[in-house]
């Protein structure tokens, strides 16, 4: 048992930190977040060519670096910390994960290679019903339909809350056979975003650092070669893809929570009231101590989940632990991120309420990431089912 | 990062489990799941006998170096030992203050002679220790101890006068380690000494204090010209604070994993009750149970991180270690509340009169102390902010 980064993992983390310190500054974030694509294409090209980050856990056979989930999580932590505005999460944690888990050899060869070359991708599966009951992210939210039509499939329906849905070049979409419900009848398809009948539009969001889109399918016809795995049998794979993405999201949240702590403590050491830095007031110190406690604990949960995710990708012994580890990490990190963001604003006083200072950027990301793939309560209920509903 | 244990360690796990399975039988069966925090006053004699049984098998002080009678186990093996120990419900170590605090301090700071004199009794499970730190005027502000130590040239001994309070298990103990002022004019951290003293002597009087549970695990201890051998001061006179603080580092070690296994046993019990009485259908109870589960799991991962990171460092606590006490104490306190809320009105009904608490009721009351002893939550937050985040130290009013 060894629960520390290897030297190589540490190096990946450090490289990510120094690169992002340089490119993902407050000014850079603010410049791109007001655009409707939400990212700087030159920076994305740099990430894909100089850093080759998008290929990190793609197997070497398809042109990737063949590294593991722990390495990916080490980078995501830094991306969350620096609020990197880029299609990295959607492409790697949704698109690549989907292809790695559910893609046929031909699909992997075609699309993973494109991703290695800088193509963007995302996953969409939730219909408008995902927005009900404070957010649902399970199989029942899949509303789009797929119907065989000769050698092709015809897709119809609306998919909402799709990360980078309006800008991604490759789409992995879930649809179900008409008349099915729940985990039955679910199929996954991979298709180019410019397929006829696919209309992807940008949905303006409160968190401007992360873009969402809506994908409307109107008799979109895709060839049988777009089908990933068995027709109607894709839910187990999709569930795994969602869990992997959930771990990734928790890693970003943990990084953001850490940054909130750091920038807030720094501010309180500088701001003087009553003749001394406010950092000396116990009410401030104790809030900061609670923030640090949650972050450290969150980090332990994320690293554990990353190890489990790696095993799940390798088909290792701990694969069956993935849903639990993902829910543990996501519920804890979601709550921590939002709490730290709220505390950060409070501890900044008036400037914390301004557009100029950064806390609001994190405050907004905290909430959007909390909802994405299920908030704390959603994941705790998933755990409660495991703990309480057996015989 | 690697989560699994080596094949060799897994063999060790089997060995531990097999030994416990073969020996926690007969007269010892009644001790299962007993003697933990809140239950420490129960079965002292039987638990001492158990401790000696463990010693026969070489299962006390497993993390100590072999030269001092320990088993020289690696961190991984200590983790495994503690997990298996708690998993099978083996009783709380009646000698935990000796094994976990006094012994490691003597190993780190003591003379060879002190090691020879005191360590074998701890390893054998025959001699119990208690911790004489807190005083009526020195709780969170531990450096404010007033108990005095004066060297009597004629007797060739240290003479101790003063009072300690909240001294856990003093009534069961053979020895006490005491911090007392060697320099009567000193204040705060300076001028303290660290003394190893025999409890059974005319100058020491122990009076039990009844606590929230109606039972007594802790005591007042009065020192009235109590004697301490000249050789039984650890470190030099005036260096007592350094020794005392070194000891606090030992309080957060591998035993945390055994403690978590105990917590797991409690949570399992609560889950069983919830399933039985229908509380599991209540959405807020579901959320709270899932939260307790989440945080207990993460607590384990955090300990694994804490333990993996050890070795090599400069001895200063890493961040994940610094936050640990605050996290588990707060978790356990909520666990107590959850247990009672799951039980509902039935949680009020005792096992018997006049005040016979069930294990969960006793746990619920006892956990209120988890956030007080060993540094209160507020003191933990001060420490985290100051040492972990470099925020300004608390102002101290100058001594008169
Ligand atoms: C079950 C139990 C077993 C114990 N066993 C032992 C033992 O074996 N040996 C031993 O030596 N001691 C023992 N103790 C004593 C324990 O260490 C003290 O109770 C503890 O250090 C707190 O001191 P106090 O009780 O004097 O509270 P106080 O220090 O008076 O604290 C009262 C309140 O004020 C707060 N406070 C104090 N200072 C500050 C500050 N600077 N900033 C913010 N808030 C502050 C505290 O957090 C607390 O909420 C035990 C205590 C308990 C409850």
């Amino acid at each position: 048992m060894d629960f520390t980064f290897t030297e190589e993992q540490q190096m990946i983390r450090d490289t990510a930190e120094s690169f992002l310190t340089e490119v993902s500054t407050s000014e850079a974030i603010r410049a791109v977040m007001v655009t409707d694509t939400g990212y700087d294409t030159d920076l994305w090209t740099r990430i894909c060519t100089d850093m080759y980050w998008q290929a990190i856990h793609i197997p070497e056979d398809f042109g990737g670096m063949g590294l593991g989930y722990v390495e990916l999580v080490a980078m995501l932590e830094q991306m969350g910390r620096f609020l990197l505005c880029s299609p990295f999460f959607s492409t790697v944690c949704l698109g690549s994960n989907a292809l790695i888990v559910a893609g046929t050899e031909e699909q992997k060869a075609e699309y993973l290679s494109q991703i290695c070359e800088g193509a963007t991708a995302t996953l969409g599966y939730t219909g408008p019903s995902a927005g009900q009951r404070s957010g649902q992210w399970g199989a029942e939210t899949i509303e789009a339909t797929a119907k065989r039509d000769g050698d092709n499939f015809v897709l119809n329906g609306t998919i909402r809350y799709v990360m980078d849905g309006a800008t991604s070049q490759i789409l992995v979409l879930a649809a179900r056979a008409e008349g099915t419900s729940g985990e039955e009848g679910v199929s996954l398809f991979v298709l180019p975003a410019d397929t006829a009948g696919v209309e992807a539009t940008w949905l303006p969001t409160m968190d401007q650092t992360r873009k969402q889109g809506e994908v409307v399918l109107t008799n979109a016809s895709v060839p049988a070669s777009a089908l990933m795995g068995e027709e109607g049998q894709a839910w187990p794979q999709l569930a795994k893809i969602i869990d992997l993405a959930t771990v990734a999201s928790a890693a970003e949240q943990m990084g953001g929570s850490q940054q909130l702590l750091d920038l807030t403590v720094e501010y309180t050491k500088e701001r003087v009231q009553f003749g001394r830095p406010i950092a000396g007031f116990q009410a401030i110190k104790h809030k900061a101590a609670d923030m640090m406690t949650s972050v450290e604990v969150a980090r332990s949960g994320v690293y554990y989940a990353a190890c489990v995710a790696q095993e799940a990708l390798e088909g290792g012994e701990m694969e069956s632990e993935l849903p639990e580890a993902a829910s543990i990490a996501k519920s804890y990190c979601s709550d921590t991120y939002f709490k730290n963001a709220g505390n950060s604003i409070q501890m900044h006083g008036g400037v914390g309420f301004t557009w100029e200072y950064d806390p609001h950027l994190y405050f907004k990301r905290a909430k959007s990431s909390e909802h994405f793939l299920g908030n704390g309560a959603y994941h705790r209920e998933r755990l409660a089912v495991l703990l309480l509903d057996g015989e | 990062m690697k989560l699994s244990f080596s094949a060799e360690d897994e063999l060790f796990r089997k060995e531990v489990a097999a030994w416990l399975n073969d020996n926690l039988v007969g007269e010892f069966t009644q001790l299962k799941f007993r003697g933990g925090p809140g239950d420490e006053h129960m079965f002292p004699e039987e638990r001492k006998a158990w401790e000696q049984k463990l010693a026969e098998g070489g299962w006390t002080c497993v993390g100590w170096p072999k030269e001092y009678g320990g088993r020289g186990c690696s961190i991984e093996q200590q983790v495994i030992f503690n997990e298996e120990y708690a998993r099978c419900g083996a009783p709380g170590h009646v000698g935990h203050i000796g094994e976990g605090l006094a012994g490691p301090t003597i190993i780190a700071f003591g003379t060879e002679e002190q090691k020879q004199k005191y360590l074998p009794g701890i390893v054998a499970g025959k001699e119990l220790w208690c911790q004489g730190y807190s005083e009526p005027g020195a709780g969170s502000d531990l450096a404010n101890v007033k108990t005095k130590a004066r060297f009597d040239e004629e007797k060739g001994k240290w003479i101790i006068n003063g009072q300690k309070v909240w001294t856990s298990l003093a009534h069961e103990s053979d020895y006490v380690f005491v911090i007392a002022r060697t320099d009567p004019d000193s204040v705060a951290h300076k001028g303290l000494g660290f003394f190893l003293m025999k409890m059974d002597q005319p100058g020491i009087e122990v009076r039990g204090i009844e606590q929230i549970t109606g039972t007594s695990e802790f005591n007042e201890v009065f020192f009235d010209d109590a004697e301490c051998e000249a050789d039984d001061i650890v470190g030099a006179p005036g260096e007592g604070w350094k020794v005392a603080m070194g000891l606090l580092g030992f309080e957060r070690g591998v035993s945390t994993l055994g403690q978590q296994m105990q917590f797991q046993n409690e949570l399992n019990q609560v889950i069983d009750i919830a399933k039985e009485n229908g509380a599991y259908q209540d959405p807020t109870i579901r959320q709270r149970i899932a939260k307790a589960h989440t945080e207990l799991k993460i607590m384990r991962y955090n300990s694994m991180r804490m333990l993996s990171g050890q070795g090599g460092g400069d001895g200063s606590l890493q961040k994940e270690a610094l936050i640990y006490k605050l996290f588990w104490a707060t978790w356990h306190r909520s666990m107590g509340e959850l247990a009672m809320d799951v039980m509902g009105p039935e949680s009020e009904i005792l096992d018997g009169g006049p005040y016979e608490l069930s294990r969960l009721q006793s746990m619920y009351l006892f956990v209120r102390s988890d956030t007080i002893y060993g540094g209160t939550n507020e003191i933990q937050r001060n420490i985290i902010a100051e040492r972990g985040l470099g925020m300004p130290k608390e102002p101290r009013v100058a001594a008169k």
Side-chain angles (χ1 to χ4, degrees), chain B residues 17 42 57 79 87 112 123 128 143 174 224 230 256 290 303 306 339 358:
Chain B
M42 292 305 290
V79 168
R87 193 196 308 279
E112 204 44 48
V123 173
L128 304 187
D174 304 285
D224 183 10
T256 55
S303 294
M306 189 156 92
S358 71

Side-chain angles (χ1 to χ4, degrees), chain A residues 2 120 257 292:
Chain A
D2 181 11
T120 57
S257 307
M292 176 173 141

Side-chain angles (χ1 to χ4, degrees), chain A residues 187-265:
Chain A
S187 300
L188 277 173
F189 299 92
V190 53
L191 47 138
D194 57 11
T195 302
V198 176
E199 181 113 38
T201 48
W202 169 54
L203 302 172
T205 43
M206 190 154 54
D207 168 20
Q208 296 174 293
T209 66
R210 184 139 274 172
K211 302 303 174 186
Q212 293 188 38
E214 185 173 78
V215 178
V216 177
L217 303 163
T218 316
N219 293 323
S221 182
V222 296
S225 61
L227 178 69
M228 301 169 83
E230 299 280 317
E231 182 183 354
Q233 309 286 320
W235 174 248
Q237 278 107 314
L238 179 54
K240 183 167 167 181
I241 296 161
I242 295 167
D243 285 335
L244 289 169
T246 301
V247 173
S249 173
E252 280 196 331
Q253 291 180 312
M254 183 264 283
S257 307
Q258 176 71 56
Q259 187 67 4
L260 279 161
L261 171 64
D262 294 345
L263 67 85
T264 305
V265 167

Side-chain angles (χ1 to χ4, degrees), chain A residues 81-162:
Chain A
R81 202 176 142 207
F82 292 98
L83 286 183
L84 174 67
C85 297
S86 89
F88 183 91
F89 192 100
S90 47
T91 300
V92 176
C93 307
L94 297 171
S96 294
N97 271 341
L99 286 156
I100 290 170
V101 170
T104 62
E105 289 308 300
E106 294 74 32
Q107 287 162 347
K108 286 183 192 175
E110 181 174 354
Y111 292 108
L112 287 176
S113 312
Q114 286 182 23
I115 288 173
C116 286
E117 281 155 26
T120 57
T122 192
L123 163 76
Y125 72 99
T126 45
S129 68
Q132 293 181 349
R133 290 184 292 136
S134 336
Q136 297 300 315
W137 299 86
E140 67 285 356
T141 64
I142 300 168
E143 292 174 52
T145 57
K147 203 169 143 187
R148 262 197 187 273
D149 176 22
D151 283 344
N152 280 24
F153 286 92
V154 178
L155 309 179
N156 276 293
T158 297
I159 303 179
R160 218 169 145 77
Y161 315 117
V162 183

Side-chain angles (χ1 to χ4, degrees), chain B residues 189-205:
Chain B
H189 314 97
K190 304 196 180 81
L192 295 171
F194 191 101
F195 299 92
L196 309 175
M197 301 178 67
K198 209 168 156 53
M199 287 296 287
D200 183 16
Q201 57 165 302
I204 294 187
E205 191 195 336

